[in-house]
Amino acid sequence: MTITTVSSRTFNQRPSQVKEAANGGPVIITDHGKPSHVLLSIEEYRNLTESNKTIVDMIAMDEDIDFSPPRLSDSLIKPADLS
């Protein structure tokens, strides 16, 4: 997927070319150099809006990760000096 950036002037002058670019990925339209709008193909828009997934479903991992943090060695543990 390619992300394309065009100015609002280019968008107004060449709408067919910008729409064609949106078939390959999002097109960011800028006003005075700052992003203001995004043009998507209808397929991409539907993929984003018709999903019944929650945010938890979207960030959930498909696999378990084995995480075993290193244990502190006895040499690093020192009794407190309370004198």
Side-chain angles (χ1 to χ4, degrees), residues 6-75:
V6 298
S7 67
S8 58
R9 172 182 269 173
T10 300
F11 176 71
N12 289 329
Q13 291 175 344
R14 300 183 210 155
S16 296
Q17 289 176 334
V18 176
K19 288 192 296 185
E20 184 65 32
N23 289 328
V27 176
I28 298 171
I29 303 167
T30 62
D31 281 325
H32 303 290
K34 296 180 181 178
S36 61
H37 295 82
V38 177
L39 180 65
L40 301 171
S41 66
I42 192 66
E43 293 85 14
E44 189 63 30
Y45 173 76
R46 286 181 178 149
N47 286 339
L48 289 172
T49 60
E50 292 178 356
S51 174
N52 291 328
K53 291 183 178 181
T54 66
I55 188 71
V56 174
D57 295 331
M58 288 184 226
I59 64 172
M61 298 181 74
D62 293 336
E63 59 191 52
D64 292 332
I65 295 176
D66 183 27
F67 177 67
S68 301
R71 298 186 56 87
L72 292 176
S73 66
D74 291 335
S75 64

